């Protein structure tokens, strides 16, 4: 490990270097999950950096810089994704190159001992992490250390979504903490991305993709209705993006996270099924459409060998929604069955999906990149350790407000539902050419009020 000093704007950064060597070098095609994210990024050529993941991991007191760097070195040695560059493939497209020898630069920034807001902390973290990655010139993950009074306080991780998904970030954080406490106490990782891609390229992988394509073909035939508006004109889309992106609606439901948890126990189903059943009932109530295909975000962490796997696994799936006068418990049970079926058919080669879309006569703009042109994601989250904004204070009322515009082109509509502590948070973005802002607000409010009344 070596260190030096870098001066910028009157701030002193210490720069350490951690090295690795003697590991296996590998080269191979992208995984299906990487190709999925790559397709989305192609639609955002001017803002690729929005697909980088930022995380801040609290460093337990009593650890020095050397302890943190040693744990990082072991983490990098364990996971090939952290030692990967993306190169042009001889056959076209991109390929992943895993390096067996190399080094990482780890910048250290002193943030002082005073209180630091969440916004300020993340701003410093992004400054330490630096700009976007040069995929073919560097590894697609960077680490930094924020110190308070000279002692390590936070570890900064910035990683390209081409390399890891959200679940990978959680695995890396858990392993980093374990390596700080016990340097040699972890089992070997189950698999590495290049080998995962090889499995997908096998005969078994081809059969998995074929089954998924057949399932999605059946869903589109049984649920042909569009939930929201048709394909926007290029002038409508361009006008929306020039103004700063698609409008965003934020919803906050105090106590509804606990409500969803209790209902899931009472109805013997999952929290995701309860929340998404309520959301689809709101869709139907506000649009009058009760049968439609729905895109869902699948982490594919149910796949064999994925437990502890650090790589890009996110794939979008599709389920069919058919709402009737069924009571809420039955709607949640039906949603759970649909989600399980959708998750089981969410691993596929995008080229095969393209064939399904062509046969169904569905335009890529609506059902492109891997699933329907809208998606829903449910997350159960722990409170953010750097959250210090108490300005809103306790409230028993549902809150609907506008968020900062989202720079999206594909998809054009999406919802993320997050259960945080006892509350429920909703973030919905929508292209006005597809769903009006007033309708987005109405759907969000109806969803939260519907849960509140159960």
């Amino acid at each position: 490990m070596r260190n030096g000093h870098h001066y910028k704007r009157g701030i002193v950064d210490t720069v350490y270097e951690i090295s690795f060597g003697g590991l296996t070098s590998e080269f191979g095609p992208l995984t299906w999950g990487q190709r999925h994210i790559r397709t989305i990024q192609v639609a955002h050529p001017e803002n690729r950096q929005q697909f980088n993941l930022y995380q801040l991991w609290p460093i337990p007191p009593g650890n020095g810089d050397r302890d943190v760097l040693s744990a990082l070195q072991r983490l990098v040695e364990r996971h090939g994704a952290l030692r990967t560059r993306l190169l042009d493939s001889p056959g076209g497209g991109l390929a992943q190159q895993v390096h067996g020898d190399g080094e990482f630069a780890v910048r250290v920034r002193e943030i002082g001992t005073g209180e630091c807001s969440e916004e300020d902390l993340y701003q410093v973290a992004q400054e330490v992490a630096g700009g976007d990655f040069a995929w073919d010139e560097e590894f697609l993950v960077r680490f930094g250390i924020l110190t308070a009074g000279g002692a390590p306080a936070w570890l900064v991780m910035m990683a390209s979504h081409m390399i890891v998904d959200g679940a990978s970030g959680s695995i890396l954080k858990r392993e980093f903490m374990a390596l700080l406490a016990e340097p040699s106490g972890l089992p070997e990782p189950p698999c590495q991305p290049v080998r995962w891609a090889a499995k997908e390229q096998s005969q078994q992988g081809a059969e998995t993709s074929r089954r998924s394509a057949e399932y999605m073909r059946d869903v589109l035939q049984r649920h042909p209705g569009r939930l929201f508006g048709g394909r926007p004109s290029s002038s409508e889309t361009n006008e929306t993006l020039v103004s700063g992106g698609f409008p965003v609606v934020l919803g906050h439901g105090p106590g509804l996270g606990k409500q969803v948890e209790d209902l899931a126990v009472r109805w013997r189903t999952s929290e995701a099924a309860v929340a998404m059943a309520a959301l689809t009932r709101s869709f139907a109530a506000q649009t009058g459409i009760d049968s439609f295909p729905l895109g869902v975000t699948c982490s594919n962490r149910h796949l064999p060998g994925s437990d502890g796997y650090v790589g890009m696994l996110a794939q979008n799936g599709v389920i069919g929604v058919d709402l009737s006068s069924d009571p809420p418990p039955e709607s949640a049970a039906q949603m759970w069955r649909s989600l399980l079926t959708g998750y089981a058919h969410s691993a596929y080669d995008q080229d095969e999906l393209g064939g399904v879309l062509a046969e169904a006569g569905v335009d890529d703009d609506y059902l492109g990149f891997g699933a329907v042109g809208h998606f829903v994601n449910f997350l159960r989250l722990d409170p953010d350790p750097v959250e210090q904004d108490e300005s809103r204070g306790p409230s028993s009322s549902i809150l609907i407000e506008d968020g900062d515009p989202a720079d999206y082109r594909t998809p054009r509509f999406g919802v993320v539902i997050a259960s945080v502590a006892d509350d429920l948070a909703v973030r919905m973005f929508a292209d006005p050419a597809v769903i009006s802002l007033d309708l987005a607000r109405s759907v969000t409010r109806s969803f939260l009020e519907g849960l509140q009344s159960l």
Side-chain angles (χ1 to χ4, degrees), residues 12-13 33 97 150 157-158 164 183 204 217 221 244 334 338 353 389 429 436:
V12 179
D13 282 335
Q97 172 71 65
M157 185 193 77
M158 181 179 84
V164 296
Q204 181 180 2
R217 180 182 289 108
Q221 289 174 346
Q334 180 60 51
S338 296
L353 178 64
D389 183 9
F429 68 84
S436 71

Side-chain angles (χ1 to χ4, degrees), residues 357-368:
L357 300 183
E359 292 174 17
V362 180
D363 63 88
D364 272 359
D365 206 33
Y366 183 68
L367 265 129

Side-chain angles (χ1 to χ4, degrees), residues 93-175:
L94 292 175
Q96 48 186 331
Q97 172 71 65
V98 183
H99 290 250
D101 301 270
E103 57 187 24
F104 273 83
V106 181
R107 296 177 61 184
V108 182
R109 174 74 57 88
E110 170 67 30
I111 59 175
T113 56
E115 290 191 6
C116 188
S117 70
E118 176 190 15
E119 182 179 354
D120 290 342
L121 198 55
Y122 271 107
Q123 181 176 346
V124 173
Q126 291 185 30
E127 291 175 2
V128 171
D132 196 16
F133 296 98
W135 290 358
D136 59 344
E137 299 176 4
E138 62 179 317
F139 304 129
L140 273 67
V141 61
R142 297 190 195 126
F143 295 103
I145 302 171
L146 304 184
T147 60
W154 300 94
L155 184 72
V156 177
M157 185 193 77
M158 181 179 84
S160 169
H161 218 338
M162 288 290 293
I163 290 296
V164 296
D165 54 14
S168 295
S170 298
I171 293 169
L172 291 171
K173 176 183 177 181
R174 182 175 67 246
E175 290 194 359

Side-chain angles (χ1 to χ4, degrees), residues 78-79 175 187-192 195 305-310:
R78 286 176 54 80
H79 298 289
E175 290 194 359
E188 287 297 309
C191 190
Q192 299 291 347
R195 295 170 214 171
S306 65
D307 187 23
Y309 170 74
V310 171

Side-chain angles (χ1 to χ4, degrees), residues 215-238:
Y215 159 77
M216 286 185 278
R217 180 182 289 108
D218 181 61
V219 168
L220 294 175
Q221 289 174 346
R222 289 186 293 110
H223 305 274
R226 290 190 177 210
L227 181 58
F228 296 115
R231 183 174 185 168
S233 68
S234 58
S235 60
E236 289 174 315
T237 299
N238 289 337

